[in-house]
Every structure is written in C-alpha cells, then in structure tokens.
C-alpha cells in the first residue's frame, strides 16, 4: 500500500526532530503501522536552512499554503506555534480535508473548541499528543487507556523549566532570580521566560487535560494561574522540614459543584512519587475511580521526545482514518454531542489546604490571636511550626499547615490575620495537596 | 446504535470488578465510546454466587460455551485463568468470530503466538491490557504511545506481592519468611505464593512486553527467572548504605546480538523514581531512542484496577472493529508478517553489573586475592565496602560493586573466588542496573 504522505509546516527544532525520527525509524514504524509514513514536503521561510536539515529527502517550500494545497498530502503537521497564523493554517488544512497533527498547546487551549468542531464536521482527525507533556503518552492514557474510569482529578508537573528551577532552588538553597539566570544560561529557560515561570504554559496543557478528563470544552480563560516568581527559598526549606516539597502543579479536579482548574506552587508530601520528579522532567498523576492513582513520567520537551509524540499521532491516524468516523477516538475523549456544561469553579470555591508563613512578634498571645481567627473561619489546623527565635530577636516565623478548606474562607481569614499588629510582614500562603 | 454485547467467562473477583465498573460508569463509557457497552451474560459454575453479583442485570449461565455460542455476543471476556481451559475457550471464541478480552498473562506468554495467529486469521481482536501491570495502560503505551521509537529496554516492577515483601523487608529490617507470612495474612500474597515469589508471574508479563517492544514472538520458555526467596535482609541494608534499593525487576533489553529477557532481584540507584515505588504498586520504565526514559506507575492488581484495563480494551474494540483489519493495532505491536527472529540471549551473554557480598577472613592479602581474580576476568570494580570487623572477630563482610560485564565472565570469576580458602561462606551475588 502506498505510504501515507505527510507535510510539515514549521521546520524548527521539533520539526527537525520529527524528520530525524521518521527517517531513522522508518522501517520500525512501517512494521508497526502496516504502512509507510513519508514526510514528503516541509515548510520553512528560510529554504537553505530547511535544505540543511532534510537534504533532498523532502520537498522544501517557502509558503506554508503550498503544503496545504498539495493534493498528495494526507496529513499536515503544524509546528508553527502561536495562536494566529497557526490557527489559520490548521483551519485551512482541515477545510482542505487533511488530517492535522500539532504540538501547539496554546492554540488548542484557546481555540480547541472551534478547531475540533471544524475537524469533526469535515471528518478529519487532529492529533495533539505532543501538545501536553512532550513525549509522555498522557493524552492517549487519558483518552483511551482510562476510558473505564470516572476521572476524579489530575495533578501534573507539566512545565520542565519551572520544575528545573524549583529543583535547583531546593538543592542549592538559591533564590528564584539566581536560578532563573542559570536556567537561561543552560538553555532550560528561554530569553523571555514569562510563559513558563508565570504558569501560562502549564495552564494551556492543564486546560487540554481537564477537557479530556471531564468531557467539557476547553476553557483556558477560566483557569486560575499563578507562577513561581514569588516563591522564596525560605518556604522551600520550611516545607522540607515539614515533610513536603514545593512543585508547580497544574491541578484539575471534579467537585459536586463544578471543576477546579488551577496552576500554582503546591506543597506535596515528599514521599509521593511526583514530589521526587526532579530537573526538567514532567509527570502527571491521574486519579480514576476504578484504577486509583496512576502516574506518567518522562521528558516534557525537546526535539525528539516531542517528535516521539508527533509520530505516534501519525501512526494513529494511519490506523484510524479508515475507521467509521463516529468510532474514532473523539478529540476531547467524549463524543462531541456528549460534552457536559459542568462549570469551572471560581477560585473562591476551590478546596485545598494551605501552608502559611507569618512573621510575628515574639510575645505572649500571638499564636492564640491567630488560631482564634482561623477557628472563627472554621479553618482547622494540621500542624504548627514555630521557630525558636534567636537570642535578643523580637520576632519569629510561625508556620501553619491547615486542613482542606474553601479558598474563599482562607482569603477572609488571611485578611484578618494580616491586619493584626503582631503580624509584622506580608503573610505567605501556598496551597498544599496530599494527592492521595 | 445498538450497544456492543459482551459476555464474561469466569465471574470471580476481577469479573465482579468489570461488572461493577461497567454498570457504575456506563453513561461515561457510552459518552466516550459513542456506543453503549452492555454485559449481557456472565458465566460462573455456581449460579447463586453469580446472581448475588449481577442480580438480574445479566443472564447467568453455568456453561462457558453458552457464552461463546450466543450469536448476540460481540466480545467475550476471558477471566478463567490458567492455560488449559482458558486456551480452549479463547480459541473457540475466536473461531466463533468473537473479539476477546483477557487478563490472562500466563496464557499469552505461553500460547500467545498461536492465539494471535488464530485471531488474525479470523479478523478479530484480542485485547490484553489487563494482563500486564493491572490498571496501568502500559500495553497501550508500548503498542501505540511510543510507535515512533526504537525501544531500547524495559525494566518493570510488575509483581505487587514481591514489591510489597521487599518494601516491608527494607522498612522493618525483617527477613523474607516473616514478611511473607504477614503478606499472606494481609491478602497481599496468596496461600500458595510460588508464582509470585519465584518470579514466574513477573516473567509472564515481561515476556509479553518484550514481544511488543521488539517485534518478536512471545518466548516465555527462554526467560531467565529468579525470585526473591533467597534474598537476605543483610543485603538490603548494605545496598541501602551504597545508595541502592533492591527490587524484583523484569528486564528486557535489545543488544546487538539479541534480546535479554530476565527477572531477578536487582540493585537500583535509590534516586531513580522506580526505586521509590513502594508496597504493592507496579511501575514500568521504558527507554525509547526518541522519547528517552518514560515511566508508568499504578496498581498492578485488584478487582477494579484490572477492570479498568478490561473496559479500556472493550472501548478500543468498539472503536476499531469497524476499521480496516490491516490497520488495527497489531496484537504484538508489529504487523504479524513483520515480526523479527532476533534471538533471546542465554544468561551467560547478558550484560549487567553486580553486587557481591563475600564473608572473608579478616587477614592481610584477602582483598588483593579477590581483586586479582576479578582483574584476570577483566571485571572492573566500581566500589568496595569493607565492614570494620568487631573486636576479636576473625571474619568480615566484603561488598564489591562491579561495572557492567558479561554474566558468563562473572560466573567464572565467582567460581574461582568461591574456591579461595579465605572466602568463608557462599558468595552472594545480585545484579545491579543503573537504569539511565
């Protein structure tokens, strides 16, 4: 049978990875797919740079639309990035009847509903394993591996840059700014690292996983997003003393009243496997009602890990494109006519526990005034750590771990505590999850 | 569309789990699969016990063949276990044109080649996600999620009983026999635990993963199998001091000359994620040339985790049964006509490193005589730990970690060392893998 013909738009680092993996493993891939998969045309504005990568093994075109217009091409890989041109190209490819494979998390988190609807109407598939957690087949696990389950929650380290920074901060006791510079020097962080360190990239990926897990449309605008820029080495140390690590987690959880969708630094018990995921690695924990806890770990970025996911999508499309379209794997895991309108909960209704650090005057009655406020808001305390103040010091750190509560209730209590004359600086609050 | 009709043979613990998961999550499953999945008939010899589980929600039949003969049934779930009756039933179901889902690792590790050939000839699918690592979708990850990769090796904790025993031995410093009794009392080990503690169950699962990873037929008879019954608490302690944990691993690795296929206790660096998998949990590490290291973690047994995998197979079959049979996911990941005849390597040609513990006389020249033997066999030493002997003691423990070598070479050296008059007891040797 004639090989599946693939065109690639955006031949950058990942695109080159796709080319190399497809070339190197073509025999292995054909033995698996039952049909060859051939990259026949690639697009990059700079033709010389493109030819330096693919040689004469694929046609090189300067105009992305030439890939889409090519009637020989069955599948278009979009690796342009961004949400403007990429959106146009993906929609045009779909309109032209091409299946699409993309690694573009921002595009799908923001415009997924429109794109998947267009693909469904046209009877083509959009593969996006590479959009979440790089080479880890987490989209496949969620959409196909756990179909018997009612998914309860997902918690993931889905941004390698921030996990690298947090690992370094803990290992070396350094502060955020110092480690960020090191990460940039080593290539783990980009020159403009905003999307990573502010949690936006993680929120894109989380939005996609949440939709797939719970059968709801992608709703990036409703995600609560906090990055790691405010995180202090002090709190990483205190967390450690209490048996916790701090990770930037994307968390989405089904509650009776709606779905939590949030990215923020989180204390996690040090004994949990995910707390031990170090450096630039990614990991996603999925809790299902039948399977219990499962975890998926691997490289979340990089040319070949991402290419691994792109090629898996190519093979899947090669397999499923002859299947009855109604029984292909639905884009959002659930059939388009079976999506739910479960609301995304506002932050005030999120349930979580907290780590609090208060700089307080070292005098009688301070702890009592604080615990009274917590009690008034129905907040129960799990643990308290009061540092011995040094000789002559008049203030000390008070660390409190709470049990689960509504975020809104905690915010109200925090405002009251912050107003106490014995609380001497801004209170640090970091969410905590037991993940059990 | 009419729901897919499913019959279940062998309504035991897992079967009941399948019934409960299918009932409880039927709406969610239908929203995913695009079609209902209905368990219409179950088989168990004791009809009253069967009715106590399914009530009037499914027909109860005493004869398994009534399930197979039922023309309304599309998919047969085999949960009988064993390799005799189960084999007959699976082959009969295939001959009757039914798709089959099974959790039977022994059956597939031993008779997989025959069963998959029959299914291929008949154009039906045999799903077996539940046969390896319970609820972890590892078969799907290997067959579909990593199709772009040349798989290099797999190392897995794929038997919960032995991992529970090893975790307890380490945590509590107890010996094997004591912990085994505790595990039996808690239900983590069966009354006859032979298949688990001798590594046979792990070898069944490893055999299946190895075939899928490397595109070779299942060859259980060629697996090298060692269990944990000889493992001593002393070695767990020494390993700990050297920064290692001891796990029962199933390891399969592609070498230039063939494939390694082996189950044995293994030292693993304590900092590896898999070394921190505790209790009855399972985890599988897969190394691919493009994706690098990935890890999959979850419950490897139990009614609902196993049911989770069975239901995922039911959904997959619901999706793929309308697809062109040549483009369905091949049973062994590679197309049947594209399997390789790469040999399974004999143990002497396996490459690994070693932990050695020698009880030696505490006198000059002992270390030298031993290191000389190692050097003569071209075995290089990574680390040596000599315990201070107690006052008045005339013997001591000598621990040696080696670098990678051929097993055959180590065996020859071990025989020579064992013959030294200064070596006072049987040498303990345990394989060691860096898994990096």
């Amino acid at each position: 049978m004639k090989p599946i013909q693939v065109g690639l738009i955006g031949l950058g680092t990942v695109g080159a990875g796709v080319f190399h993996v497809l070339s190197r493993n073509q025999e292995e891939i054909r033995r698996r797919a039952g049909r060859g998969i051939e990259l026949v045309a690639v697009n990059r504005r700079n033709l010389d740079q493109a030819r330096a990568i693919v040689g004469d093994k694929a046609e090189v075109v300067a105009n992305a639309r030439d890939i889409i217009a090519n009637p020989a091409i069955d599948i278009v890989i979009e690796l342009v990035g961004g949400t403007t041109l990429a959106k146009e190209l993906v929609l045009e490819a779909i309109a032209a009847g091409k299946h699409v494979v993309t690694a573009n998390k921002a595009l799908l988190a923001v415009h997924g509903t429109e794109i998947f609807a267009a693909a469904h109407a046209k009877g083509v598939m959009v593969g996006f394993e590479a959009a979440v957690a790089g080479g880890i087949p987490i989209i496949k696990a969620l959409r196909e591996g756990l179909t018997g389950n009612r998914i309860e929650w997902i918690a993931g380290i889905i941004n390698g840059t921030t996990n690298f920074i947090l690992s370094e901060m803990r290992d070396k006791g350094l502060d955020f700014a110092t480690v960020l510079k090191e990460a940039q020097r080593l290539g783990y962080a980009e020159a403009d690292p905003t999307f990573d360190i502010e949690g936006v990239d993680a929120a894109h990926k989380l939005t996609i996983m949440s939709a797939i897990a719970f059968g709801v449309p992608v709703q990036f605008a409703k995600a609560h997003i906090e990055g790691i820029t405010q995180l202090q080495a002090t709190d990483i140390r205190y967390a450690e003393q209490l048996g916790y690590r701090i990770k930037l987690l994307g968390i989405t959880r089904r509650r009776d009243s709606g779905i939590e969708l949030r990215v923020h630094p989180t204390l996690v018990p040090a004994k949990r496997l995910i707390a031990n995921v170090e450096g630039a690695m990614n990991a996603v924990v999925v809790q299902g009602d039948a399977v219990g806890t499962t975890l998926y770990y691997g490289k979340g970025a990089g040319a070949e890990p991402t290419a691994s996911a792109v090629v898996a999508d190519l093979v899947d499309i090669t397999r499923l494109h002859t299947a009855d379209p109604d029984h292909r794997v639905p884009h959002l895991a659930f059939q388009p006519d079976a999506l739910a309108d479960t609301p995304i909960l506002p932050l005030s209704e999120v349930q979580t526990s907290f780590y609090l650090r208060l700089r307080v005057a070292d005098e009688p009655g301070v702890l009592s005034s604080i615990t009274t406020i917590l009690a008034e808001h129905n907040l129960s305390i799990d643990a308290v750590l009061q540092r011995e103040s040094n000789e002559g010091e008049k203030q000390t750190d008070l660390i409190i771990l709470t049990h689960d509560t509504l975020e809104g209730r905690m915010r109200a209590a925090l405002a009251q505590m912050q107003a106490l004359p014995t609380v001497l600086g801004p209170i640090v609050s970091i969410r905590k999850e037991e993940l059990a």
Side-chain angles (χ1 to χ4, degrees), chain A:
Chain A
M1 192 185 279
K2 180 168 147 292
I4 282 262
Q5 310 281 298
V6 180
L8 189 156
I9 301 178
L11 185 71
T13 311
V14 171
V18 171
F19 169 76
H20 291 305
V21 170
L22 275 177
S23 316
R24 187 174 72 231
N25 293 342
Q26 60 177 315
E27 176 56 19
E28 195 118 349
I29 293 165
R30 194 199 52 74
R31 286 173 59 206
R32 288 196 177 104
R35 187 171 174 188
I37 296 179
E38 233 174 67
L39 188 59
V40 294
V42 299
N43 153 254
R44 176 171 177 154
R45 237 167 302 167
N46 186 318
L47 298 180
D48 289 341
Q49 286 173 347
R51 283 203 195 90
I53 295 168
V54 303
D56 57 1
K57 294 218 177 118
E59 186 191 351
V60 172
V61 301
N63 185 341
R65 264 88 184 182
D66 291 346
I67 301 270
I68 295 171
N70 185 337
I73 286 176
D74 306 298
I75 308 174
V76 172
I77 303 174
E78 181 274 308
L79 297 173
V80 173
T83 57
T84 315
L85 175 61
K87 184 186 174 195
E88 289 173 25
L89 294 171
V90 165
L91 288 174
E92 288 173 29
I94 290 169
K98 314 292 190 197
H99 302 288
V100 173
V101 174
T102 176
N104 194 329
K105 54 224 82 169
L107 177 65
L108 296 179
V110 177
H111 300 295
T113 303
E114 182 181 352
I115 289 167
F116 297 140
H120 182 70
K122 193 75 188 178
V124 297
M125 289 172 271
V126 177
F128 54 94
E129 183 63 80
V132 180
I136 308 173
I138 182 66
I139 298 297
K140 185 167 280 285
L142 285 169
R143 289 205 308 189
E144 305 175 44
L146 303 176
T147 41
N149 291 265
R150 187 174 158 90
I151 307 282
E152 293 166 350
W153 53 263
I154 296 174
I157 296 173
I158 44 183
N159 181 272
T161 304
T162 45
N163 201 54
F164 175 83
I165 292 173
L166 293 178
S167 297
E168 291 288 297
M169 285 176 72
R170 186 176 76 86
D171 274 7
K172 305 186 176 161
L174 297 171
D175 66 13
F176 173 76
T178 309
V179 176
L180 174 60
K181 276 198 203 97
E182 187 204 355
Q184 287 174 314
R185 195 177 52 78
L186 293 171
Y188 284 117
E190 298 189 42
D192 177 0
T194 314
F195 261 40
D196 292 317
I197 63 177
E198 295 294 0
V200 177
D201 174 73
H204 284 146
K205 296 165 184 166
L206 180 69
T207 298
I208 296 171
M209 288 199 289
S210 178
I212 290 172
F214 304 126
V216 297
V218 289
Q219 295 164 79
F220 174 71
K222 293 189 182 155
H224 172 76
I225 311 174
E226 283 173 40
I228 61 167
T229 54
Q230 304 305 312
L231 205 61
Q232 298 173 46
T234 310
D235 296 302
I236 295 178
R237 272 199 308 278
Y238 280 130
E240 193 88 14
Q241 287 173 33
L242 291 159
Y244 291 84
R245 303 257 167 95
I246 299 182
K247 295 289 183 187
L248 182 69
L249 292 189
I251 299 171
T252 184
R253 190 188 291 262
R254 190 202 298 260
R255 301 280 184 191
D256 290 343
S257 49
I259 292 166
E260 298 179 356
L261 187 62
R262 48 193 172 105
V263 173
H264 50 69
T266 314
L267 273 77
V268 182
K271 65 186 171 197
R272 297 275 177 271
L273 219 48
I274 195 171
N276 295 282
V277 170
E278 302 291 351
M281 301 301 284
N282 281 19
V284 179
V285 179
V286 182
Q287 182 80 12
D289 71 338
V291 76
T293 302
T294 56
L295 177 144
Y296 310 83
Y297 164 91
K299 290 196 176 117
E304 293 223 349
T306 309
S308 169
V310 168
V311 174
D313 276 345
L314 295 177
V315 172
D316 273 357
I317 291 174
T318 304
R319 281 177 179 147
L320 281 167
H321 79 127
T322 66
D324 167 10
D326 284 347
H327 288 134
R328 290 175 187 161
V329 184
H331 290 112
L332 289 178
F334 293 76
Q335 300 293 325
D337 60 1
L339 292 189
D341 56 0
T342 322
I344 305 295
L345 292 171
L347 187 60
S348 59
E349 290 177 37
V350 158
Q351 281 173 58
T352 183
S353 55
F354 284 86
Y355 158 101
L356 307 177
R357 173 165 61 87
L358 302 93
R359 190 72 183 160
V360 294
D362 193 10
E363 57 182 59
V366 169
L367 184 58
S368 152
S369 61
I370 287 162
T371 54
T372 303
I373 293 175
L374 290 171
E376 282 168 3
H377 289 85
N378 244 320
L379 296 163
S380 76
I381 295 173
D382 182 31
V384 173
L385 175 71
Q386 178 149 10
R387 220 194 51 182
E388 292 280 315
S389 58
N390 294 331
E391 191 79 37
E393 237 183 344
K394 292 268 183 277
Q395 40 180 265
T396 186
D397 281 344
L398 177 65
I399 315 296
I400 298 175
L401 300 184
T402 76
H403 286 296
D404 261 16
T405 182
L406 287 176
E407 170 112 9
R409 208 177 276 175
M410 176 54 76
R411 291 286 142 218
L414 278 171
Q416 257 184 275
M417 290 190 287
Q418 189 68 75
L420 288 174
T422 48
V423 171
L424 306 175
I427 301 173
V428 172
S429 72
I430 307 175
R431 295 174 194 86
K432 173 171 88 63
E433 295 282 343
E434 293 298 320
L435 301 184

